[in-house]
């Protein structure tokens, strides 16, 4: 059984910062790529940032220079540091991870999401 749980969302003023965390737990053999996605009403879920096992990162153009993704493999946790937040960053943020439950069995997992609201 594998579970992802996000934390750190909330209400923040434009220009402020938030740090999201996502901890994976359960039957984990190895975690490959981890990432953050976000979704607003009426739109499809979109990529925010990803980080693979060697540590290479990828960001959406809209968050480059403002957001930083990182991971702590000892804690099975991925983070998203969000700075200079804008109202358009308002969304439900979801954690995603590609996880091996054994050396030959893997799955794609999602957390339940955490709300981020930026007001001006």
């Amino acid at each position: 059984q594998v579970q992802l749980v996000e934390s750190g969302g909330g209400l923040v003023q434009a220009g402020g910062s938030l740090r999201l965390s996502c901890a994976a737990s359960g039957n984990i053999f190895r975690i490959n790529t981890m990432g953050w996605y976000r979704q607003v009403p009426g739109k499809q879920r979109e990529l925010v940032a990803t980080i693979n096992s060697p540590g290479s990162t990828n960001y959406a153009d809209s968050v480059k220079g403002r957001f930083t993704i990182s991971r702590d493999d000892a804690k099975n946790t991925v983070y998203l540091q969000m700075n200079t937040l804008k109202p358009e960053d308002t969304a439900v943020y979801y954690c995603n991870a590609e996880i091996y439950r054994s050396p030959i069995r893997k799955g794609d997992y999602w957390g339940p999401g955490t709300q981020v609201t930026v007001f001006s």
Side-chain angles (χ1 to χ4, degrees), residues 40-98:
V40 299
K43 295 189 66 177
Q44 292 190 335
R45 193 169 300 183
E46 65 176 3
L47 171 73
V48 177
T50 61
I51 182 167
N52 65 15
S53 185
S56 296
T57 58
N58 181 52
Y59 296 93
D61 288 341
S62 60
V63 307
K64 285 183 178 178
R66 299 188 297 120
F67 292 9
T68 302
I69 188 170
S70 61
R71 63 192 289 168
D72 185 339
D73 289 336
K75 298 180 179 180
N76 290 330
T77 300
V78 62
Y79 305 95
L80 185 68
Q81 178 66 47
M82 304 185 294
N83 298 327
T84 319
L85 283 161
K86 305 175 180 179
E88 49 263 47
D89 294 319
T90 295
V92 176
Y93 284 71
Y94 296 91
C95 177
N96 172 257
E98 183 184 53

